[in-house]
């Protein structure tokens, strides 16, 4: 394999895998966790999201703790948005070099071809993160936002087409050629990566439905996001059922243990898509939903996420995954998949608390019980920050002295 030059280090250079796009994805996800502070703590009357002007109002009039929260959120968004873009650009350069190697040709003949979907997945997250950066740091953005929504949908459609082309090449090969898919290597949820990529495109396409005042834009957003969202659900259902059958026969692939929890971020992304669509239906087409319905929807999503999180932790603890690949001397690009569930749980808890419990008046906003529950979301967030910093030190800094594992299929 040709050696790539990275902003960092030897392990990622010497054993590149498309799964390193997940390093960019994780940073982008952390950007969203900091935006949750602003989304649910900062007043933004008359608009579905907070803007730069709302933050300036906090600095001018609010209490010191609120100002501190906004400062932390803005710093977190700036740092992790920068890291998100930096690692994404490095991945594009490294992938370009990787495609010229025999290793890439071999990858495209195995189940592992779907790891290429990490590219559109991370790119869609970066577009979402870019919109957050604009809301937080660009004055008067709302005055031109209606021009930005069509452009954003075109960008997400381009990423969606890229994802479909990769999926089409993979499915065309394995469905047309007998024996091209190895069921014995299907003993993980790694094959849910295409569904995750499609869901990230779907949530991006649903943003105009929640924020645009133009009924045509909202309608197009609803239809396109539904197409990609439902496709993601169908793919996830098929891939998870067949994978679980293989895991029962062959056990879970040890290095692919983190994929058991890919359901968690997949559901958070699809859940946000549904909330955005419901808001668009309410604001533009006078279709009303009760707060209790939102509470039940979020509770169901959170329940499934908790179940799959416990399953993944159980299997990985039995296989001693953390002692080897997180705290030990073995390296796997797939370890970055561990960041996604923690980030997704943090984000979903914010929505469950604010849109579910507060929305139904079960919990009063900013009460003691509110902050106790919110502390759980913050704990997941800061644990994932520590994990990202740990993994970046392992994979992107220093000499590659640790054993490097082959990417999971």
């Amino acid at each position: 394999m040709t050696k790539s030059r990275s902003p960092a280090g030897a392990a990622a250079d010497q054993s590149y895998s498309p799964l390193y796009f997940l390093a960019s994805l994780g940073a982008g996800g952390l950007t969203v966790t900091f935006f949750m502070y602003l989304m649910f703590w900062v007043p933004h009357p008359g608009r579905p999201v907070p803007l730069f002007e709302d933050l300036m109002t906090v600095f001018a009039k609010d209490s010191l703790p609120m100002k501190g929260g906004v400062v932390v959120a803005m710093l977190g968004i700036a740092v992790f948005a920068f890291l998100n873009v930096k690692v994404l650009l490095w991945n594009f350069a490294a992938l370009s070099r990787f495609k010229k190697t025999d290793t890439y040709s071999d990858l495209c003949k195995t189940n592992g071809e779907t790891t290429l979907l990490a590219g559109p997945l991370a790119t869609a997250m970066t577009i979402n993160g870019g919109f957050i950066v604009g809301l937080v740091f660009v004055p008067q953005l709302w005055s031109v936002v209606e021009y930005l929504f069509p452009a954003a949908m075109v960008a997400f459609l381009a990423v969606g087409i890229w994802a479909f082309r990769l999926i089409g090449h993979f499915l065309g090969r394995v469905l047309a050629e007998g024996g091209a898919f190895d069921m014995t290597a299907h003993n993980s949820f790694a094959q849910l990566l295409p569904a995750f990529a499609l869901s990230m495109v779907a949530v991006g396409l649903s943003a105009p439905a929640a924020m645009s005042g133009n009924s045509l834009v909202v309608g197009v957003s609803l239809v396109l996001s539904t197409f990609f969202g439902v496709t993601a659900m169908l793919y996830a259902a098929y891939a998870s059922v067949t994978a679980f059958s293989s895991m029962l026969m062959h056990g879970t692939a040890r290095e692919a243990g983190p994929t058991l929890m890919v359901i968690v971020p997949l559901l958070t992304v699809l859940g946000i898509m549904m909330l955005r669509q419901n808001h668009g239906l309410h604001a533009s087409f006078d279709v009303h939903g009760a707060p209790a319905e939102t509470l039940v929807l979020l509770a169901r999503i959170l329940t499934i996420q908790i179940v799959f999180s416990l399953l993944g932790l159980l299997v990985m603890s039995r296989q001693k995954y953390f002692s080897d690949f997180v705290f030990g001397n073995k390296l796997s690009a797939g370890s970055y998949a561990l960041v996604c569930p923690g980030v997704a749980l943090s984000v979903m808890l914010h929505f469950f608390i604010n849109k579910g419990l507060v929305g139904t008046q079960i919990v009063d906003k900013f009460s003691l019980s509110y902050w106790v529950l919110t502390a759980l979301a913050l704990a997941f967030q800061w644990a994932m920050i520590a994990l990202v910093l740990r993994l970046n030190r392992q994979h992107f800094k220093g000499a590659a002295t640790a054993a490097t594992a082959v990417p999971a299929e």
Side-chain angles (χ1 to χ4, degrees), residues 162-179:
W162 174 21
F164 270 122
R165 286 175 62 88
L166 292 173
I167 294 170
H169 186 276
F170 171 72
L171 291 180
R173 177 176 62 83
V174 300
L175 295 178
E177 303 173 12

Side-chain angles (χ1 to χ4, degrees), residues 220-245:
V220 173
S221 172
L222 287 170
V223 172
L224 291 177
S225 59
T226 297
F227 175 78
F228 280 91
V230 171
T231 304
M233 294 177 199
L234 291 173
Y235 201 108
Y238 159 76
S240 58
V241 169
T242 55
F244 202 77
S245 175

Side-chain angles (χ1 to χ4, degrees), residues 6 24 47 88 144 156 170 191 209-210 216 240 250 283 291 321 409:
S6 77
S24 174
R47 289 182 298 269
L88 182 71
V144 297
F156 280 114
F170 171 72
Q191 292 301 321
L216 176 60
S240 58
H250 307 289
Y321 182 94
E409 296 182 356

Side-chain angles (χ1 to χ4, degrees), residues 20-57:
Y20 274 117
F21 275 102
L22 298 181
S24 174
L25 176 71
L30 288 171
T31 302
V32 177
T33 63
F34 280 105
F35 185 68
M36 292 296 98
Y37 296 15
L38 308 179
M39 180 72 180
F40 295 119
W41 301 350
V42 174
H44 42 93
R47 289 182 298 269
V49 289
L51 305 176
F52 173 83
E53 289 76 15
D54 298 313
L55 308 186
M56 294 305 103
T57 300

Side-chain angles (χ1 to χ4, degrees), residues 264-287:
V264 178
L266 180 66
L267 286 178
T268 288
V269 170
L270 290 175
I272 294 173
M273 179 199 74
M274 293 175 190
L275 291 177
R276 287 175 168 179
Q277 290 180 331
N278 288 341
H279 184 83
L281 289 170
H282 165 73
S284 297
F285 301 105
D286 204 30
V287 177

Side-chain angles (χ1 to χ4, degrees), residues 12 33 47 67-68 93 106 135 161 170 172 199 201 229 238 261 281 304 314 322 324 337 343 364 373 383 394 399-400:
T33 63
R47 289 182 298 269
K67 292 176 183 177
D106 294 338
L135 293 174
I161 292 170
F170 171 72
S199 69
V201 173
Y238 159 76
M261 298 187 288
L281 289 170
I304 299 172
L314 171 66
F322 289 97
D324 281 348
V343 165
D364 292 329
L373 292 169
Q394 288 179 306

